[in-house]
Amino acid sequence: MVVLVSMFALIQAPLLQAAGEKKLEVFSWWTSGGEGAALDALFSNYKKQYPDVEIVNAAVAGGGGSAARPVLQTRLAGGNPPDTWQSHPGYELLGQYVEPGYCEEITDLYKSDGWDKVFPKALVDMMSKDGKTYAVLASVHRGNVLWYNKKLLDKNGITIGEKFGFDEFFAACEKLRLAGIHALGVGDSGIWASTQLFENTLLGVVGPQGWTDLFSGKMKWDDPKVKEAMTYFLKMQDYVNPDHSALSWDQAVGALMEGKVAFTSMGDWADGEFIKAHKQEQVDFGWVAHPGTDGAFVIVADGFTLAKGAPHKEAALAWLKSIGSKEAEEAFNPLKGSIPSRTDVDKSKFDAYHQWSMSGFANGKLLPSCVHGEAAPAAFQQALNDAVTAFIVDRNIDNFANALVQAAKESEADR
Ligand code: GAL
């Protein structure tokens, strides 16, 4: 196998050299311990075939792309694109990058590499416009997961079954509070992490149908159900670690591992942090669907694009082919916490968390995330973050709801 791979490299390398393309600039926000390790696995997989191509890792730190996306916008608007960048399907990819003409279509790769047979159509549709497809997925994350420190819960007599409702959750938080523990870990130095907590709580109250109705405009943002979710979110603030705004999302996961907090509601990139720290499933940490969201799977998928006018187009096309391969998916996802987006990957190579997530994806209601740019235009995503920031300070439910009603009206034109 090794011999075959390196022979292939010998054939490919001169082609790239001839075109003067020995570099590849990859833009992402994968810089935490788990994210960095998983990104390295993608680089190694690429390097096996293209050892002579120098990969420029242009990652910009800041979970959820909160700092990376503005940098990317400036580069794209200034005609200085990286060869390829990380993007979520749905509004983010189509509205922010395809619509203004920053992406080259890669539809042909779906035929040449057989991707049209192995990637779920619903996901490919979220990356396509007018029959043209603009990205290939590396992974599918689940956004609505509640992680916990197993030893800390055991010590405090708290057990979690297959499902965990709001009542049980708040009872556990109260028990922990009486034991002097900040129950809920949040690291919202990037506010999106708190917005994610709200997003998950909102879904837990309105349910999958309510979610679809909210983002299609059928349900209003001041609906009593939405306000009920806001009430829960407000109540959660009483159990949050006081240093939350000084921590990043992965530092909050770190605090959970150290037993400083018991829970964190976070997408399953958190699993990448547990894996990187060699923590053991069901011994050191456990997970359950965020309260009320059992049976629903909030999709946070990661794709890569091809820049229009990519400085190293051949190398970038080779990168995309490599990302979409079975080998890349098998190398990347076990480290990242995400499940493969291809349907033909060997499931036995994955641990118990991944098995749980794969079964949730196969059997659950799949819903796009707003926090991660899939469910609504960028302006609404931003307005939601701003409204959460204001709400944490003023704790006023009417202001929160009205801000979202207004934002939904304003973003109507972008739909
Ligand atoms: C999401 C992204 C994930 C993970 C997370 C935290 O937007 O899809 O892959 O990196 O941010 O940074």
Side-chain angles (χ1 to χ4, degrees):
M1 184 62 196
V2 172
V3 177
L4 278 179
V5 163
S6 57
M7 272 177 62
F8 185 62
L10 284 175
I11 300 164
Q12 291 293 315
L15 286 178
L16 295 173
Q17 267 173 27
E21 293 180 330
K22 295 195 62 177
K23 267 194 184 174
L24 169 73
E25 191 186 9
V26 179
F27 187 97
S28 78
W29 55 86
W30 287 337
T31 59
S32 76
E35 291 174 335
L39 181 59
D40 278 348
L42 287 182
F43 290 162
S44 303
N45 190 58
Y46 181 82
K47 279 280 196 180
K48 271 193 224 158
Q49 289 185 23
Y50 307 101
D52 290 344
V53 177
E54 181 200 337
I55 299 178
V56 179
N57 180 358
V60 174
S66 47
R69 278 179 284 109
V71 172
L72 179 61
Q73 278 298 345
T74 307
R75 289 191 56 174
L76 296 176
N80 173 30
D83 294 304
T84 178
W85 63 88
Q86 175 190 358
S87 177
H88 298 117
Y91 278 97
E92 183 178 308
L93 173 67
L94 299 177
Q96 293 179 54
Y97 307 130
V98 173
E99 184 73 32
Y102 295 139
C103 293
E104 191 87 58
E105 62 160 315
I106 57 166
T107 322
D108 286 352
L109 292 183
Y110 278 76
K111 297 231 158 50
S112 64
D113 287 53
W115 295 347
D116 46 357
K117 295 185 189 68
V118 294
F119 284 106
K121 186 175 176 310
L123 294 180
V124 177
D125 285 351
M126 287 171 74
M127 304 186 290
S128 306
K129 203 177 167 199
D130 303 329
K132 296 174 180 167
T133 307
Y134 291 91
V136 58
L137 291 180
S139 56
V140 179
H141 277 295
R142 176 173 175 144
N144 54 316
V145 189
L146 186 73
W147 303 93
Y148 53 86
N149 181 314
K150 178 86 168 61
K151 287 180 179 152
L152 190 58
L153 291 196
D154 286 350
K155 204 171 139 200
N156 285 277
I158 298 165
T159 34
I160 298 189
E162 302 245 304
K163 291 183 193 176
F164 201 47
F166 282 109
D167 289 348
E168 289 167 286
F169 173 69
F170 284 118
C173 287
E174 193 52 24
K175 197 166 187 185
L176 290 161
R177 189 182 68 79
L178 293 174
I181 298 160
H182 296 293
L184 185 53
V186 173
D188 66 357
S189 59
I191 191 63
W192 68 273
S194 266
T195 314
Q196 173 113 40
L197 175 64
F198 174 65
E199 171 167 287
N200 288 341
T201 304
L202 177 64
L203 174 61
V205 177
V206 302
Q209 188 56 49
W211 192 258
T212 307
D213 290 350
L214 264 177
F215 287 99
S216 65
K218 214 164 147 195
M219 186 190 270
K220 299 292 170 223
W221 286 91
D222 55 0
D223 188 278
K225 282 275 172 206
V226 176
K227 289 189 171 178
E228 189 184 331
M230 291 170 172
T231 311
Y232 284 158
F233 178 65
L234 190 56
K235 195 169 169 189
M236 287 174 184
Q237 301 306 309
D238 295 341
Y239 302 105
V240 166
N241 47 309
D243 59 348
H244 62 94
S245 59
L247 303 184
S248 56
W249 71 270
D250 49 313
Q251 287 173 324
V253 177
L256 186 152
M257 290 191 238
E258 287 169 35
K260 290 184 182 155
V261 299
F263 297 105
T264 195
S265 181
M266 187 44 65
D268 55 16
W269 40 92
D271 191 41
E273 300 306 305
F274 295 124
I275 292 163
K276 173 86 182 157
H278 304 293
K279 296 292 175 192
Q280 272 189 53
E281 295 180 315
Q282 306 303 6
V283 175
D284 299 308
F285 72 100
W287 61 88
V288 68
H290 182 87
T293 68
D294 185 64
F297 186 112
V298 176
I299 298 175
V300 185
D302 289 306
F304 279 88
T305 60
L306 173 63
K308 187 162 275 174
H312 314 96
K313 186 169 177 185
E314 290 307 315
L317 278 167
W319 163 255
L320 297 174
K321 279 159 105 47
S322 138
I323 294 276
S325 70
K326 223 168 141 176
E327 293 71 27
E329 293 229 340
E330 287 177 357
F332 177 77
N333 289 296
L335 301 178
K336 187 71 166 64
S338 44
I339 58 172
S341 39
R342 288 179 66 122
T343 49
D344 59 345
V345 167
D346 182 357
K347 293 197 165 85
S348 69
K349 294 190 171 160
F350 291 85
D351 62 19
Y353 172 73
H354 286 84
Q355 299 297 338
W356 181 82
S357 182
M358 284 190 266
S359 133
F361 184 76
N363 305 312
K365 293 254 186 262
L366 307 180
L367 301 161
S369 162
C370 178
V371 175
H372 298 279
E374 295 164 345
F380 186 82
Q381 178 191 11
Q382 182 60 46
L384 180 60
N385 279 326
D386 292 347
V388 167
T389 306
F391 184 55
I392 290 173
V393 177
D394 78 4
R395 302 170 75 95
N396 184 314
I397 287 177
D398 287 334
N399 286 351
F400 192 10
N402 292 340
L404 296 181
V405 168
Q406 189 56 30
K409 264 191 213 147
E410 284 166 13
S411 76
E412 199 85 318
D414 300 334
R415 285 179 182 274

